[in-house]
Amino acid sequence: MHSYNLYLPTRLVFGENAIEKLPELTKGFGRKVLIVYGGGSVKRNGILDRAKELLKDREVFELSGVEPNPRITTIRKGVELCKKEGIEWLLPIGAGSVIDSAKAIAAGAFYEGDAWDLVLDSSKIKKALPIFVVLTNAATGSEYDAGGVISNLETDEKLPITSPLLFPVASIMDPAYTCTVPPKHTAAGAADIFSHTIEQYIVMDGNILTDAMCEGMLKTVIECTPKVLKNPNDLDARGQLMMASSFGCCGLLSIGRSPSPWPCHGIEHEISAWHDITHGEGLAVITPHWMRWSLTEKTAPRLAQYGVRVFGLDPAAPAMENAEKAIEKTSEFFRSIGIPATLSELGVTDEHFEAMADHVISHWRPLSGAFRPLDREGILAILRASL
């Protein structure tokens, strides 16, 4: 079994009306709070007003308009506001993009230079404002990890920002707050959870415990996503997806396993950097093609195990046969929840594929350690097959 180092300091507060615990959780963290959110949904569903009412004894500032692929320009505005007003802690109310933005703002508030420097080199993060989260969609897992992903439209880059200082202090999770998420984003969030799990599960060496964890996560997404798409108010299924979101990206699923460089995420970040597509949809298109590209006699047993344990394929069938069926089952699942099957359907062209491949190689984790070692030509092959 491989060595591991797991650190998870965030408190998860889950359940109906969990937001009522906000004053207690944030006691002692200061009077001045910046609430960060995206569009008008948190206003329409009353979450923003309830948070402000609970914080009526604090001085509340607001930063709205965070984009689905959060932009450095918005983060710069947040950093400027924090410095000007002496903000003491942050409250992102929303999904992954809002939380990611708050993390970058929290770090930028103590940095003398431009916040983009911290994305390019997260070792420059020496201090950060405390972050408390009110989660409104099951997707990225940013409520329970130390990272985020930020886009720079000036340079056509979408890159991670990561530091142990960026773990939220606490994340409040009420599944009722996810019931108004549109079907498109519910499905994309589920695909994101699925991909997080696959990136850690489909490696050469697993172990009994985390194999079972990954398989349980995948089966949860496969079972619960159709339920919430059919009945958006199914709180049990919503809650299970919320749980899967938190545990899908916190590092728990990867302990004792072959380290993964998360190749699908590296490739998809390039696509959404150039085309601003929905992250989960891009992952759903890329993932089966990455699996097909990775399938060899050597890798077939792991993909076959995935097919047998997650999709119920015949364990007596040949490994290569089950591996191929597992890949097709993956594609079928994504199509069944309404996600397009090709990049073309998402408005992506091949115009920037060469630049995308170059940027993955130069800015992402080394892909020599991928399930099947991946080079520039392999990235291009996956992109072209996904088109």
Side-chain angles (χ1 to χ4, degrees), residues 46-74:
I47 302 173
L48 178 63
D49 286 343
R50 186 56 189 152
K52 291 165 71 173
E53 174 64 22
L54 290 167
L55 298 173
K56 60 187 177 183
D57 62 338
R58 318 290 177 95
E59 190 174 356
V60 176
F61 299 82
E62 296 181 31
L63 177 69
S64 63
V66 172
E67 306 83 3
N69 287 307
R71 300 175 186 176
I72 192 63
T73 49
T74 302

Side-chain angles (χ1 to χ4, degrees), residues 13-19 135 172-178 235 242:
V13 183
F14 174 89
E16 185 178 1
N17 298 318
I19 198 172
L135 185 65
I172 292 168
M173 305 189 301
D174 183 341
Y177 287 170
T178 70
L235 292 183
M242 223 172 202

Side-chain angles (χ1 to χ4, degrees), residues 267 286 289-290 293 374 377-386:
I267 295 171
I286 289 293
H289 292 288
W290 167 74
W293 186 87
L374 192 58
E377 291 308 310
I379 295 167
L380 286 170
I382 292 168
L383 284 168
R384 289 165 180 154
S386 303

Side-chain angles (χ1 to χ4, degrees), residues 278-295:
T278 301
H279 176 57
E281 291 185 332
L283 288 171
V285 173
I286 289 293
T287 297
H289 292 288
W290 167 74
M291 288 178 171
R292 289 190 183 96
W293 186 87
S294 298
L295 180 57

Side-chain angles (χ1 to χ4, degrees), residues 269-283:
H269 285 177
E270 296 302 319
I271 299 167
S272 50
W274 284 95
H275 295 276
D276 202 28
I277 66 170
T278 301
H279 176 57
E281 291 185 332
L283 288 171

Side-chain angles (χ1 to χ4, degrees), residues 115-150:
W116 186 247
D117 295 345
L118 305 178
V119 180
L120 294 175
D121 183 2
S122 292
S123 69
K124 293 182 178 180
I125 300 173
K126 304 301 181 184
K127 190 176 181 180
L129 292 170
I131 301 167
F132 292 81
V133 170
V134 177
L135 185 65
T136 64
N137 191 23
T140 71
S142 193
E143 70 275 8
Y144 199 43
D145 69 25
V149 181
I150 309 300

